[in-house]
Amino acid sequence: MADKLESRPTDDATRQRVLSQASSERGDHDPFYPDDGTPPSGLRQLIHDHRRALLALLVIGAGIIFFFAVLPQLAGFGKSLHRLRYGNKLWLAVGVVLECVSLGGYMGLFRLLFTSQGVHIGWRSSYQITMAGAVATKLLAAGGAGGIALTVWALRAAGLDAKTVARRMTSFELLLYGVFMLSLVIFGGGLAIGVLPGNSPEALTVLPAIFGAAVIALALGMGIAADRAHRWLARLGRRRRGPKSIFTKLATVPGTLHGGVETTIEVLRHPKPALLGAVLYWAFDIATLWAGFRAFGAMPELAVLVIGYFVGQLANALPIPGGIGGVEGGMIGSFIAFGVNGSTAVLAVLAYRIISFWLPVLPGSVAYLQLRATVNRWRERDQAGAEPADGSASAAG
């Protein structure tokens, strides 16, 4: 009898194991804190108990160390950072406001796309998910994969099924980066043929325009002819023996793109003001860079400003946390090639990156902690049998 009592798990242990198993089956673990069901002990217990505060301190500490210790040691950056203090404070403050508007546009578009299946994503939940995703992107980078993983985790917890999340996430990216690629075509092509004022080196005008047009054509082509592209890639995959080839994995892409294109068309057929968020996000982020130039007494031509910005942003696809170094180098190099004074370009881009990169870090870290509490509340309601419809409606405020 005693043996049976000793071998029987406590109610809490059983409940924890069941919840962990259910969470694993849904694939909705927090990407930062996967739960392996093993009770922590010692140092692990300390980390487990204070992990939220430790994460926030880690993010903030890493940023402070990099900005004040590492960056000044790089060639030329020490003097540039020193000169940043002489920038016009009013224009830098304007840049902060413009960046906030940019983030607001992003959140508005997010709310529009992911309010579906009876799940209402309110402003508060949209803020938590997008700001926490911004921090994850800066920490884990690789084309935004960290932010995407965290966003998917939160949306699954909110009540959206995996298929809907995939379709709407694809649609969200198509709308957002459709503006990106279209801007490359319009401003790169406009500079190349002389319609827009400004210097026009071919490598930074013609090539970006061709790249943008090719990406748009490829996405639409694979989305519209999904079945044909799927069969072609699957056939190539079957010819490869052994583990799954890259073609077998790519065979799922056309179907996902097709679903995203369909969702995008559906959204565009019933336009709402929040759709402008795709334009506002990029336009006001570029305006933040413009404010950086104005803070140091310079103002490049509009087309040069836009194309230099987007060429630099391409470095975000590199597996560098937050694109640190790559984005700055790409932008500065582009502006110098367009004839902008090198010293001014360095100062303006650094001012812009300080605002756009570091502004979301502290509120984003706090938003992540708030999001974990929100997700736990959604799960508790789901387990209690309450409707998951508006896990975020009450959080919208």
Side-chain angles (χ1 to χ4, degrees):
M1 184 65 149
D3 292 340
K4 291 182 179 179
L5 289 175
E6 290 176 358
S7 62
R8 182 179 179 180
T10 64
D11 290 341
D12 289 340
T14 303
R15 181 174 179 273
Q16 181 64 31
R17 185 171 63 253
V18 171
L19 291 179
S20 177
Q21 181 179 359
S23 177
S24 177
E25 290 173 353
R26 292 198 308 268
D28 57 359
H29 284 301
D30 182 340
F32 282 117
Y33 295 112
D35 183 9
D36 60 3
T38 304
S41 60
L43 180 59
R44 289 181 62 196
Q45 180 68 50
L46 177 65
I47 296 174
H48 182 272
D49 291 342
H50 302 283
R51 60 193 183 192
R52 297 179 180 180
L54 289 173
L55 174 68
L57 289 174
L58 178 63
V59 172
I60 297 170
I64 292 173
I65 291 172
F66 179 84
F67 185 76
F68 289 103
V70 178
L71 205 57
Q73 303 303 318
L74 301 179
F77 274 76
K79 293 182 179 179
S80 296
L81 287 174
H82 178 74
R83 291 178 59 191
L84 282 174
R85 70 181 66 182
Y86 301 111
N88 187 296
K89 304 300 187 296
L90 178 59
W91 278 113
L92 294 176
V94 169
V96 171
V97 174
L98 293 171
E99 188 64 23
C100 289
V101 177
S102 170
L103 293 172
Y106 188 95
M107 294 173 200
L109 182 66
F110 186 89
R111 286 188 68 231
L112 174 66
L113 264 295
F114 293 102
T115 294
S116 177
Q117 292 184 331
V119 176
H120 175 70
I121 301 295
W123 278 107
R124 182 177 177 182
S125 296
S126 179
Y127 169 82
Q128 291 174 0
I129 296 172
T130 55
M131 293 299 287
V135 172
T137 298
K138 296 177 192 310
L139 292 176
L140 305 177
I148 291 174
L150 188 139
T151 301
V152 170
W153 163 74
L155 291 172
R156 294 284 287 118
L160 294 176
D161 61 58
K163 183 178 180 180
T164 300
V165 171
R167 287 171 64 99
R168 292 191 168 266
M169 182 68 74
T170 303
S171 177
F172 181 79
E173 297 294 331
L174 285 173
L175 287 169
L176 201 63
Y177 285 93
V179 174
F180 188 126
M181 297 303 161
L182 195 59
S183 298
L184 289 178
V185 174
I186 294 173
F187 289 95
L191 281 169
I193 63 178
V195 174
L196 298 175
N199 293 334
S200 55
E202 289 187 3
L204 295 177
T205 55
V206 177
L207 292 182
I210 293 174
F211 174 76
V215 171
I216 292 172
L218 181 63
L220 291 177
M222 291 187 71
I224 295 171
D227 291 338
R228 186 176 300 176
H230 170 76
R231 288 195 299 269
W232 179 66
L233 289 170
R235 187 165 57 251
L236 290 175
R238 285 193 296 269
R239 294 177 182 175
R240 302 292 189 274
R241 296 180 179 180
K244 285 186 178 181
S245 70
I246 187 173
F247 295 107
T248 303
K249 297 177 181 178
L250 288 175
T252 62
V253 173
T256 303
L257 272 175
H258 180 68
V261 169
E262 285 187 334
T263 301
T264 302
I265 293 174
E266 178 186 345
V267 170
L268 292 175
R269 281 177 178 171
H270 308 282
K272 295 182 179 180
L275 265 177
L276 292 174
V279 177
L280 292 178
Y281 172 69
W282 295 115
F284 279 87
D285 199 45
I286 294 172
T288 304
L289 176 60
W290 167 78
F293 274 104
R294 292 304 301 267
F296 295 97
M299 183 56 235
E301 297 287 352
L302 176 61
V304 170
L305 181 71
V306 173
I307 200 69
Y309 166 88
F310 280 120
V311 169
Q313 288 292 345
L314 291 174
N316 273 322
L318 300 174
I320 306 171
I324 294 176
V327 173
E328 291 86 349
M331 285 188 183
I332 293 169
S334 297
F335 288 125
I336 292 175
F338 278 112
V340 177
N341 178 271
S343 178
T344 303
V346 169
L347 292 170
V349 170
L350 284 179
Y352 156 75
R353 285 292 282 172
I354 289 172
I355 295 172
S356 67
F357 186 91
W358 296 110
L359 178 63
V361 168
L362 182 56
S365 301
V366 175
Y368 170 71
L369 305 182
Q370 295 172 331
L371 178 62
R372 285 182 59 85
T374 300
V375 166
N376 289 335
R377 187 166 62 252
W378 287 340
R379 290 176 178 170
E380 288 173 2
R381 291 178 182 176
D382 190 26
Q383 292 159 8
E387 287 190 18
D390 197 319
S392 57
S394 61

